[in-house]
Amino acid sequence: MDAIDCPPSYQARILIIDDEPLVLRLAATVLASAGHTIYQAADGKSGETLFEEMQPELTILDVWMPEQDGLQTIRQLRARSPGAKILVMSGQPRRSGMPVFEVASVLGAANLLTKPFTPDELLASVAAVLAA
């Protein structure tokens, strides 16, 4: 388990699942700086385990990952916790003709973020999902 502690202005427990170390680290740093407690996983399977252990208030996940993709992970998380708040991110919102973001939305993603994104875009998306 890799947790980044936040300053006293704690806001939410957030799980980030992404197989790209740079994106994972950037998102974790931005969100921890904003006062959130961050948990990180590099794939959907380990993300499921952390989700069960940490019970985050928000899960942010990439769509295209090895082992278990983000769409499968959304299904698993929603089966465990139907009210889970999920933010999906991807650098390929359409792949092989499949409208990835539309599918993620139908599966229960509350918001969608296209990579690359700015820190402000990430913070705005997170705030929108947490407020919903």
Side-chain angles (χ1 to χ4, degrees), residues 3-14 27-38 123:
I4 296 177
D5 290 325
C6 63
S9 62
Y10 166 84
Q11 292 182 7
R13 290 179 316 279
I14 300 175
T29 300
V30 167
L31 295 171
S33 295
H36 301 288
T37 298
I38 306 302
L123 290 169

Side-chain angles (χ1 to χ4, degrees), residues 23-122:
V23 173
L24 189 61
R25 193 72 194 154
L26 169 70
T29 300
V30 167
L31 295 171
S33 295
H36 301 288
T37 298
I38 306 302
Y39 303 97
Q40 302 173 58
D43 61 67
K45 283 288 188 193
S46 58
E48 277 186 58
T49 302
L50 271 177
F51 180 86
E52 197 67 32
E53 291 173 12
M54 299 297 131
Q55 300 179 353
E57 293 155 280
L58 171 63
T59 300
I60 302 171
L61 59 92
D62 186 24
V63 174
W64 305 115
M65 298 181 288
E67 298 296 318
Q68 178 174 298
D69 70 37
L71 300 177
Q72 293 169 316
T73 304
I74 292 171
R75 285 185 194 102
Q76 295 298 325
L77 299 182
R78 297 299 263 171
R80 287 187 164 98
S81 178
K85 293 185 178 189
I86 299 171
L87 168 63
V88 170
M89 58 184 171
S90 180
Q92 296 179 321
R94 181 172 291 278
R95 189 174 194 180
S96 301
M98 179 173 66
V100 176
F101 282 166
E102 287 87 351
V103 173
S105 184
V106 167
L107 293 174
N111 207 342
L112 314 161
L113 188 60
T114 302
K115 293 179 188 177
F117 50 80
T118 66
D120 287 341
E121 290 169 331
L122 175 61

